[in-house]
Each structure stands twice: as structure tokens, then as C-alpha cells.
Amino acid sequence: MSNFLLRRVTTLIFLLLGVSALGFAILQLAPGGPLSLLAQTGQMSQEDLNRLAVQMGLNDPMPMQYLRWLTHMLEGDWGRSYRDQLPVLEIIGSRIGATLLLMVTSTIIAVSLGVWVGVMSGVRRGGKFDTATSVTLVALVSVPTFWLGLVVIYIFSVKLQWLPAGNRQTPGDGSFLDIARHLVLPALVLAMVNVTVWSRYMRASVIGAISQDYVRTARAKGLSEFQVLWRHVIPNSALPMISIAGMQLPAQLGGALVTETVFTWPGMGRLFMDSLNYRDYPVVLGILMFTAVLTLLGSLLADICYAIADPRVRPT
């Protein structure tokens, strides 16, 4: 197990270095930057801009700039925002709570609904429930997230006026119930994007488990279908879901980007879009690295949990 962890951590480190180098190069080659923002104000001459470029090291070769940025990042200095001059880590820290709240809530909804639908569809394979849910879920996954969000806002906020259309809380309120009311729509939209994946994988896993010898043996011993389902089918079908959980983290982060923009939810997704619009590249790069770390850690945690849950695949 220790050798497995060492290999995985070493691989993750090299992957992070690759992501950081590629992301830094792309943003360096993109138009804009701190000098372009200053030039647009018209308050600085070209000589002043050139002097600032030298002081900031913008004229240095790209590999030198990357090594300097990487060194500072490893020391805990992720740079400062071009827009408001605040530290990047401070800006990300002020938004990560909202994103985690949205992701955790939507994940609970997606996993609960997806696993239930998957189990029922697998047990009743080819039945009316299986057909109806398959058609519904295919329709949901085919709908763009932003369009689904706009439809939900139009129905529940504009027409019915049951729930707020956006933001995290009402100005001057911020109570638990107020935040919960603002959370319902974006969490449901983000969950609907992922419930199809959970249900389809769970359905396939249940169908595979039902045909195994241990299920036939359990039935031959006189166990009821309910006991067979909960003691044998579901526990064995749930093992592959651990690996799916690790792969779903990037999807959750990507979906949160669109969902937060549609619902003006003050999380990292909306911060990423705003930073791109303002060409605030230090913040964009910081979010990229933070997301990469979360994604790779999620994958590592999924591998560890799967090895613990199933000793047959436990590495030596």
C-alpha cells in the first residue's frame, strides 16, 4: 500500500507541474495583462509602462518567469490580482466556501437520486420504470446547463415566484433559511447534470450483480428479494461508484462554473468567468491550480477508498 501511495503521489506531482507549465504558457501568450490594463487608463506614458515591465520581470524569457512564479507559489505567494491588488489566495478563499456548499449539496442530491433510480432500473430492467427514467435522463443530459438554469429560473422565480432567481442570500438577511432558499435552484440544476451518470453506472452494476452466482445462492437459501437486494446486490454494486466519485469532481467543478454564472452564485466558477473577462490572469491561474489540486486529490482519495473497500484490488 505504501508503494502504491508513493507512486500515485509522485505521478500527481508531475501532473501538477505539467498543468502549471501549460496553464502559465497559455495565459502568457494570451492578450492582455497588467500593462494593458494600465495602458487603457491613459494615465501612464509608454516609458512608464516599459519601466514597469522591467520591474515586474515581464521582459524576461518565459521559462524564467515560470520558474519565478512557481517558486513563489510553492512558498505560498500565488501573486496578486491585477484588478484589485488583493492576494490571489485571499480572493479564492473568499469564494471557495460558496462553491463547496453548492457542490456538496448537489452531490448529495445527485448521488441519492441517481443511486435510487439506478437500483430500481436495474432490478426492473426493461420495465416501464426503466424506460421512463431512461428517456427522462437522456433528455436531461442533452439539455445545456445554462438553458436548463434559465428555464428553472423562469418557472420557479418569475412565474411561480417560489424561490429567488440568484445570489447566495438576500442583502441584510443571510439566515440559514434564506441561504437554503437561494441554494435550492442552483443545487438542483447542477445535480440534474450529474444524476444521469450515477444512475446509468448504478443500473449497469446492479444488472451485472444480479446475474452472479452468489445472488443465485442467496435465493436458493430462501432469502427474500428484499434481503438479496440489500445484503448482496447493492453492496457489491456500490463498489464501482467509488471510482465514479473521483471522476465526477472535475464534472462538478465544470458544471459549477456555468451554474454559478447563470444564478450569480458568488463562488469560484463565477470568479473564474469574471477574471477572464477582466483578463485578471493571476486569479485565473490560481483557480486553475486550485482546481487541478482538488481534482487529483479526489482521484487519489477514490483509489484509496476503493482499495480499502475491496481487498481483491488492494495494491501491494
Side-chain angles (χ1 to χ4, degrees), residues 46-65:
Q46 187 60 43
E47 294 181 356
D48 294 331
L49 293 175
N50 293 336
R51 185 173 63 256
L52 278 176
V54 174
Q55 293 176 355
M56 298 173 66
L58 300 179
N59 294 333
D60 294 338
M62 187 181 300
M64 186 179 299
Q65 295 185 47

Side-chain angles (χ1 to χ4, degrees), residues 109-119 195-196 198-200 202:
I109 297 173
V111 172
S112 302
L113 183 59
V115 169
W116 178 77
V117 171
V119 171
V195 70
T196 302
W198 289 101
S199 63
R200 293 295 89 186
M202 192 65 187

Side-chain angles (χ1 to χ4, degrees), residues 240-292:
M241 298 300 103
I242 298 176
S243 299
I244 303 302
M247 295 188 297
Q248 279 295 94
L249 182 58
Q252 283 283 74
L253 292 171
L257 188 151
V258 178
T259 306
E260 289 179 2
T261 302
V262 173
F263 289 94
T264 60
W265 185 264
M268 289 179 58
R270 186 181 174 192
L271 174 64
F272 184 80
M273 295 301 298
D274 291 342
S275 300
L276 280 178
N277 291 333
Y278 283 99
R279 298 177 180 178
D280 197 351
Y281 294 150
V283 177
V284 173
L285 192 56
I287 295 175
L288 173 66
M289 292 305 302
F290 194 84
T291 303

Side-chain angles (χ1 to χ4, degrees), residues 6 73 101 114 117 127 231 249:
L6 180 60
M73 187 191 70
L101 176 62
V117 171
R231 291 185 184 180
L249 182 58

Side-chain angles (χ1 to χ4, degrees), residues 5-86:
L5 288 176
L6 180 60
R7 291 195 302 268
R8 292 290 286 131
V9 171
T10 303
T11 302
L12 294 184
I13 291 174
F14 281 105
L15 284 174
L16 283 176
L17 288 175
V19 170
S20 65
L22 182 61
F24 186 88
I26 292 175
L27 291 179
Q28 286 294 106
L29 296 174
L35 297 186
S36 65
L37 295 176
L38 293 174
Q40 292 175 3
T41 63
Q43 299 177 356
M44 302 188 69
S45 64
Q46 187 60 43
E47 294 181 356
D48 294 331
L49 293 175
N50 293 336
R51 185 173 63 256
L52 278 176
V54 174
Q55 293 176 355
M56 298 173 66
L58 300 179
N59 294 333
D60 294 338
M62 187 181 300
M64 186 179 299
Q65 295 185 47
Y66 169 71
L67 290 176
R68 181 167 56 241
W69 169 82
L70 181 62
T71 302
H72 289 163
M73 187 191 70
L74 294 177
E75 294 174 351
D77 180 12
W78 287 30
R80 289 183 173 271
S81 168
Y82 291 162
R83 182 169 49 165
D84 49 26
Q85 294 303 307
L86 291 175

Side-chain angles (χ1 to χ4, degrees), residues 141-211:
V141 79
S142 302
V143 174
T145 305
F146 73 90
W147 189 86
L148 180 60
L150 293 176
V151 170
V152 167
I153 290 174
Y154 178 76
I155 295 175
F156 293 100
S157 298
V158 178
K159 284 296 184 180
L160 300 177
Q161 297 184 356
W162 288 354
L163 295 167
N167 297 317
R168 186 183 182 185
Q169 63 188 49
T170 303
D173 192 338
S175 63
F176 174 80
L177 290 178
D178 181 61
I179 294 177
R181 292 181 70 248
H182 285 79
L183 179 63
V184 170
L185 292 184
L188 283 176
V189 169
L190 186 56
M192 290 303 102
V193 175
N194 300 295
V195 70
T196 302
V197 176
W198 289 101
S199 63
R200 293 295 89 186
Y201 275 103
M202 192 65 187
R203 176 182 180 273
S205 189
V206 167
I207 292 174
I210 289 177
S211 62

